[in-house]
Amino acid sequence: MFDFLKDGVSADDRIAGAPKRKRSPDDDPPKRPKKPKKTVRMARTKRSLARRLAYWCVVLGVWGIIGLAGLITYYAGQLPPIDQLEVPKRPPNIAIVAEDGSLLANRGDTGGAAIHIADLPPYLPKAFVAIEDRRFYHHFGIDPLGIARAVLSDVILRRHVQGGSTLTQQLAKNLFLTQERTLSRKIQEAILAVWLEHKYTKDQILELYLNRVYFGSGAYGVEAAAEKYYGKHASQVTLSEAAVLAGLMKSPSKLAPNHNQDAANARARDVIYAMEKEGFITDAMAKLATAHPAQVAKENNSSSMNYVADYVMDVLDDTVGAIDQDIVVTTTIDPNLQNVGEKALTDVLDKKGGKFNVSQGALVAMNPSGAIKTMIGGRNYADSQFNRAVSAKRQPGSSFKPFVYLAAIERGLTPDTVREDAPLNVKGWQPENYTKRYAGPVTLTRALSQSLNTVAVRLGLEVGAKAIAATAHKLGITSDLDLNASLALGTSEVSPLEMVTAYAPFANGGIAVQPHIIRQVRTAGGQVLYTRKGSSFGRVIDQDALSMMNRMLTETLISGTARGAQLPGWQAAGKTGTSQDYRDAWFIGYTSHMITGVWLGNDDSSPTERTSGGSLPVEIWSRYMRAAHQGVPVASLPGGIWQSPAPPPEEQPDAVVSDMPQPDQVPVRQADVPPDLVPPASIPNAGRDQPPPRRGGGLFEQLFNQ
């Protein structure tokens, strides 16, 4: 349009038709110098390479996206359908608590109960966020910035200090996947993390995480870890303890504070610094926590409470069946008395066990209705988990004699009945007394209190082994008993729990009981699954026989083999027992408030150094029973104490009942039979269901097989 300007002709000249002016060479613009051909070719080559590089980057990027989508689709196909995917149930925890509600132990695969995030101190979950996933509340399950940071540190800077997995990815791995480190697992982890973020809130995800991850030393979940390392609930941990727990995620086994306290505290300082940097705690809080590092609580693996917990687990299945959720089991155990009994047993064995060559012991105590208050299955649970209170079968020795005497009383004899204490020979067997001396004619009271073997054998011959076994079984012995002459001296093996159970009728008015340790079972949410109701096996000793047995057994503590076992103010009774070669030493004693049995011996049945039932077992029993009766109103034995009929004035008694005067009596009240043990009007013909007596091939089977 404006080409005329190029000719140097003005617009007016064009209009007027004026002739054109010739161009001068000076009118042309200066020409640029030509580039060398080589330079031009190089520039063109660079532009071409750049275009090709950009092209192939786009192509590779597209194919990379397609390939990644294919991998995701493929590995997603290896997972269950998303609409069927559910968070697996946490293995149930069984919290075992004492009668006062205090925790005795946790049992189950996790080692602790699930806990709600709202019940935790705010700094505890924040510690995990600060050190493990500081962008937790800002990503969608996968953190691209975190992955980039991890790549920068791990690959470019060659420092393995950053992790690319979010808390959600870690949870996905723990819930659904294995621990293998493969590309397929990482892809599936990312897919599941996105699904978790879609299905749950951030706090729900964090709560799941805290209840499922591993904290080392067999503890799964923050509650189990707090109990394991600090002996407290997770809701009670301090800031420094919370920092240690969060720091364990890096390496639970290597950093476990009970094995590596210094490394755990060093890692905790990193956690505290991260929390301060994120603004979760103040500078003052950080300095205070750093200045006072967490200290691991003393291990409780040796506590006798573990014997209780093991026994509860043994009987729990028969009580409530299969368990598929967290439950709380309330027991009958008195934790204070459990500690008293444990200390009494261990103190005596520590101080005198070496001298008497006795290494082990057990103690069981129950109230007159059969509720177990204390169960100590051994000297140290950490050294041996074998529960001798329940599972050890040992010869009870003379502590078995009350069943012999009861069988005789039920057949018409009385405490004043006289029998000869003299050598005897039963088809070649010649039982003898502990002292190897003989007293001649003695009353049954004196014979039992002084544990004269020859009189017990004579009574056994009178009533028969079958009658003795039947009497023991109806009172509470469940083991098979050999029907031979030596049964009268306690040669058939029984457990401490059986012996204490069988003595309970003497203490409660003649009622056979079922020993029990579980009072109630409920879910963690409070739903009651089981509550024990009062029950008994009915009356097994009539009132007259009971008062006579109490008369003879109280004399054992007054003038007999258990003189050191008296309880001031209480009517107490019992019987010592020592097996052959001093292999076992027993004392079972009772009041109207408590029945307690103590056994001492060696697991390999090797002889002790003359440890008798009247020595160390009585000492342990006395320490425990004094504590058990502290603050309890004094009560006499149900059924009373039988008294000898007064002779006519012109006659004198022809037998001395006691070698020692009766102690001054203190006012006592008559104990009531526990309401859950009220017996029927008459004694049943048959006692509880028992395994049939085992027929042995002993020397005197023919004599007693009647």
Side-chain angles (χ1 to χ4, degrees):
M1 176 176 177
F2 300 102
D3 289 342
F4 59 84
L5 294 176
K6 299 178 181 179
D7 299 333
V9 181
S10 66
D12 293 338
D13 293 339
R14 284 282 183 198
I15 295 171
K20 295 182 179 179
R21 183 174 63 82
K22 293 183 178 180
R23 296 182 60 184
S24 168
D26 295 335
D27 294 335
D28 294 333
K31 295 181 178 179
R32 297 177 181 176
K34 293 183 178 180
K35 296 180 179 179
K37 292 182 178 180
K38 184 176 181 179
T39 303
V40 173
R41 284 197 301 271
M42 289 178 63
R44 289 176 179 174
T45 301
K46 289 181 180 179
R47 287 194 295 271
S48 177
L49 287 175
R51 285 195 296 269
R52 289 179 181 179
L53 181 61
Y55 170 78
W56 283 111
C57 284
V58 172
V59 171
L60 290 176
V62 171
W63 280 110
I65 293 172
I66 294 173
L68 181 61
L71 282 174
I72 293 174
T73 302
Y74 172 77
Y75 287 115
Q78 308 301 310
L79 297 172
I82 291 297
D83 59 346
Q84 299 178 13
L85 200 61
E86 292 184 0
V87 172
K89 286 186 176 181
R90 184 177 183 273
N93 179 73
I94 297 96
I96 301 170
V97 302
E99 63 178 359
D100 63 359
S102 59
L103 182 67
L104 299 179
N106 283 299
R107 287 292 185 268
D109 293 336
T110 58
I115 192 167
H116 297 295
I117 196 170
D119 297 329
L120 299 173
Y123 49 75
L124 179 55
K126 287 179 179 179
F128 289 83
V129 173
I131 198 65
E132 289 294 315
D133 187 4
R134 59 189 179 88
R135 287 175 43 80
F136 173 70
Y137 286 101
H138 304 289
H139 59 65
F140 55 91
I142 304 171
D143 186 8
L145 292 179
I147 295 174
R149 187 170 61 250
V151 171
L152 177 65
S153 296
D154 296 351
V155 178
I156 300 177
L157 301 180
R158 299 182 181 278
R159 293 183 303 168
H160 186 69
V161 296
Q162 296 287 338
S165 294
T166 65
L167 285 178
T168 314
Q169 287 177 269
Q170 295 178 43
L171 177 62
K173 177 181 68 177
N174 279 284
L175 291 178
F176 303 109
L177 303 172
T178 65
Q179 300 297 316
E180 62 178 346
R181 298 186 177 185
T182 61
L183 177 63
S184 63
R185 203 268 292 161
K186 291 295 292 183
I187 293 174
Q188 290 177 330
E189 177 186 293
I191 296 169
L192 292 168
V194 174
W195 174 79
L196 285 170
E197 291 277 349
H198 174 74
K199 188 174 179 64
Y200 298 98
T201 67
K202 288 289 187 179
D203 283 349
Q204 287 174 330
I205 291 172
L206 189 54
E207 184 175 295
L208 280 170
Y209 178 88
L210 293 174
N211 281 313
R212 299 299 183 96
V213 292
Y214 182 57
F215 286 84
S217 299
Y220 287 85
V222 69
E223 176 73 359
E227 291 282 357
K228 175 69 177 179
Y229 299 127
Y230 302 114
K232 61 178 70 172
H233 295 296
S235 59
Q236 301 170 328
V237 298
T238 64
L239 175 56
S240 57
E241 292 166 347
V244 171
L245 295 177
L248 288 174
M249 297 301 96
K250 182 178 182 180
S251 181
S253 298
K254 291 182 180 179
L255 296 176
N258 57 344
H259 299 305
N260 196 344
Q261 179 78 69
D262 293 339
N265 286 336
R267 177 63 174 168
R269 288 192 290 272
D270 294 338
V271 176
I272 292 170
Y273 172 76
M275 295 178 71
E276 182 185 6
K277 183 178 179 181
E278 294 300 317
F280 293 154
I281 58 175
T282 64
D283 177 65
M285 294 172 67
K287 289 180 178 178
L288 184 63
T290 304
H292 299 86
Q295 298 297 321
V296 176
K298 182 181 179 181
E299 291 278 354
N300 201 33
N301 291 338
S302 63
S303 171
S304 65
M305 297 295 187
N306 289 291
Y307 291 115
V308 172
D310 289 350
Y311 181 63
V312 168
M313 294 301 294
D314 289 342
V315 300
L316 185 60
D317 185 60
D318 293 335
T319 303
V320 295
I323 300 168
D324 60 0
Q325 58 183 318
D326 287 359
I327 62 172
V328 178
V329 181
T330 302
T331 68
T332 58
I333 293 294
D334 183 322
N336 295 324
L337 292 182
Q338 180 79 14
N339 291 331
V340 169
E342 179 179 357
K343 191 172 190 309
L345 179 68
T346 56
D347 282 355
V348 168
L349 290 179
D350 289 344
K351 294 176 182 177
K352 302 179 180 180
K355 175 182 177 182
F356 288 92
N357 190 33
V358 56
S359 60
Q360 276 296 349
L363 184 150
V364 180
M366 67 174 60
N367 68 14
S369 64
I372 298 171
K373 295 299 179 182
T374 300
M375 176 179 284
I376 301 168
R379 184 176 188 172
N380 186 300
Y381 183 85
D383 294 338
S384 173
Q385 292 78 51
F386 180 61
N387 191 341
R388 295 157 190 82
V390 176
S391 302
K393 296 294 185 74
R394 307 296 292 247
Q395 291 184 349
S398 294
S399 63
F400 191 83
K401 289 178 181 176
F403 312 132
V404 180
Y405 279 72
L406 176 59
I409 292 293
E410 290 177 334
R411 284 154 180 78
L413 278 63
T414 74
D416 285 346
T417 299
V418 176
R419 287 294 181 267
E420 187 78 13
D421 176 29
L424 75 161
N425 188 313
V426 184
K427 294 186 177 180
W429 178 49
Q430 298 179 349
E432 55 187 17
N433 293 329
Y434 166 73
T435 62
K436 302 188 186 307
R437 295 193 299 268
Y438 303 94
V442 294
T443 63
L444 296 192
T445 298
R446 182 177 178 184
L448 181 57
S449 66
Q450 296 185 0
S451 202
L452 303 179
N453 289 338
T454 61
V455 176
V457 173
R458 292 181 194 278
L459 292 177
L461 294 173
E462 290 183 36
V463 302
K466 279 188 175 181
I468 297 171
T471 299
H473 282 149
K474 75 177 181 179
L475 265 65
I477 298 297
T478 57
S479 295
D480 292 342
L481 301 174
D482 293 329
L483 301 183
N484 54 45
S486 65
L487 177 62
L489 300 184
T491 55
S492 288
E493 296 178 339
V494 294
S495 73
L497 179 59
E498 288 179 79
M499 289 296 291
V500 173
T501 302
Y503 270 62
F506 298 134
N508 66 22
I511 313 302
V513 301
Q514 181 181 18
H516 59 278
I517 198 170
I518 296 177
R519 176 172 293 168
Q520 186 184 79
V521 181
R522 59 179 173 82
T523 67
Q527 179 186 358
V528 176
L529 303 178
Y530 166 83
T531 300
R532 178 172 177 81
K533 296 185 170 91
S535 62
S536 73
F537 293 108
R539 180 178 292 280
V540 291
I541 309 175
D542 70 20
Q543 289 296 105
D544 289 340
L546 178 63
S547 66
M548 292 182 187
M549 290 302 302
N550 284 338
R551 173 70 185 92
M552 293 187 289
L553 291 172
T554 54
E555 190 67 27
T556 303
L557 277 68
I558 298 171
S559 65
T561 56
R563 288 187 296 273
Q566 295 183 48
L567 288 174
W570 285 85
Q571 286 183 348
K575 186 69 187 75
T576 59
T578 308
S579 66
Q580 188 175 12
D581 296 329
Y582 300 94
R583 287 182 170 87
D584 305 278
W586 298 73
F587 180 60
I588 319 294
Y590 61 92
T591 66
S592 60
H593 175 63
M594 191 79 71
I595 309 100
T596 300
V598 177
W599 166 84
L600 296 180
N602 297 312
D603 286 338
D604 60 1
S605 292
S606 60
T608 66
E609 290 293 334
R610 302 181 68 83
T611 304
S612 67
S615 58
L616 302 187
V618 164
E619 181 178 347
I620 295 169
W621 183 92
S622 297
R623 286 182 57 177
Y624 175 84
M625 290 290 271
R626 282 195 293 268
H629 289 75
Q630 189 171 6
V632 178
V634 174
S636 61
L637 289 169
I641 305 295
W642 183 85
Q643 299 295 329
S644 301
E650 67 277 5
E651 296 183 10
Q652 297 296 326
D654 57 358
V656 178
V657 173
S658 173
D659 291 338
M660 296 180 63
Q662 293 280 357
D664 294 337
Q665 296 295 313
V666 298
V668 296
R669 65 178 178 84
Q670 181 69 30
D672 296 325
V673 176
D676 56 347
L677 297 180
V678 176
S682 61
I683 301 176
N685 292 328
R688 73 182 73 193
D689 293 333
Q690 297 291 345
R694 185 175 62 202
R695 295 188 179 273
L699 179 63
F700 306 103
E701 180 178 4
Q702 296 298 323
L703 179 62
F704 289 97
N705 190 15
Q706 51 184 323

